[in-house]
Amino acid sequence: MSGSLLPVTFGGIEAAARRISAHVLRTPFAPSPSLSERLDVPVGLKLEHHQTTGSFKLRGACNALLSLPPAERKRGVVAASTGNHGRALAYAAKAEGTVATICMSRLVPQNKVAEIRRLGARVLITGTSQDDAQREVEKLVEQDGLAIVPPFDDPAIVAGQGTLGLEIVDDMPDVGTVLVPLSGGGLASGVALAVKSQHPDIRVIGITMERGAAMKASLDAGRPVEIAEMPSLADSLGGGIGLANHVTFSMCQALLDDVILLSEAEIAAGMQHAYALEREIVEGAGAVGIAAILAGKIDPVGRPVALILSGRNVDMDLHRRVVNGETDLLRENAA
């Protein structure tokens, strides 16, 4: 790993931890007896879905917002989001006395849209993809002078998300593998840099859905590529990585040891397990680490495993249907 050549440094992650410490929770880390028995090694759950806004996104949003010059912050901020980043930025902006504008596609679940509006943000729904939402963001930056706070492809965002990695190593010093939900790569690259900077032999595996996995397709191609965005139980993992990606693609390329794809049925099984055995309510994206273990896709190579339950902001009617074992919703998401 050539850390000095990456767009984010370990020192940047440490600085982010100090900057956001008064604004975010240090979330619990809990052992999972059921998953430990399955893998025959200790498995720990980073309960990041207990974060104030229900997902890890508050870390990056706070770090990016607090890193802006006060004059830029005062004018207002804007971002594209599949839901959780928008919620986090709306919360952080309200706490700092400014206003956030959140651009989202029509694929974003209504429960996430409603919560962003409740937090006082201006919401714009446009198009059917994260790329469509991003184009609206760029227009607002040019027209209104708003400061952009990207959902993932930004050094301050990556450094903020990387603070999770500091906590994981602190909570499980002998961790051998870290399973991280993978979308645009802000969480995965930040966590990977944080843990590998301390222990280079730790494996970091990105977990995502089969349907519309933009970072996986880009890593396979050796460059950022566009891919059709499709509905999924792991809706928070949707969206492209941007053809002009300048931070997370190179970091994921350098730092991830593997990327694992999951079917919709496997993601549903992860949500069911989280609820029934771990007593945790998580959205599809938050359940992918559990799902990968249940699907037999993780070899722990005899060392402890940590996985991140990254978010809980799921529509509760959908969650009820998933944990009750309904299958028609899987066909709906595959349509």
Side-chain angles (χ1 to χ4, degrees), residues 233-255:
L233 288 176
D235 57 89
S236 293
L237 302 184
I241 70 166
L243 294 179
N245 186 293
H246 64 285
V247 177
T248 59
F249 173 75
S250 63
M251 292 186 69
C252 286
Q253 195 174 45
L255 298 171

Side-chain angles (χ1 to χ4, degrees), residues 41 60 66 89 92 114 127 141 157 173 197 206 226 229 242 274 286 326:
V41 298
L66 295 172
L89 186 58
V141 169
I157 293 290
S197 293
E226 288 186 348
E229 191 172 339
E326 290 188 32

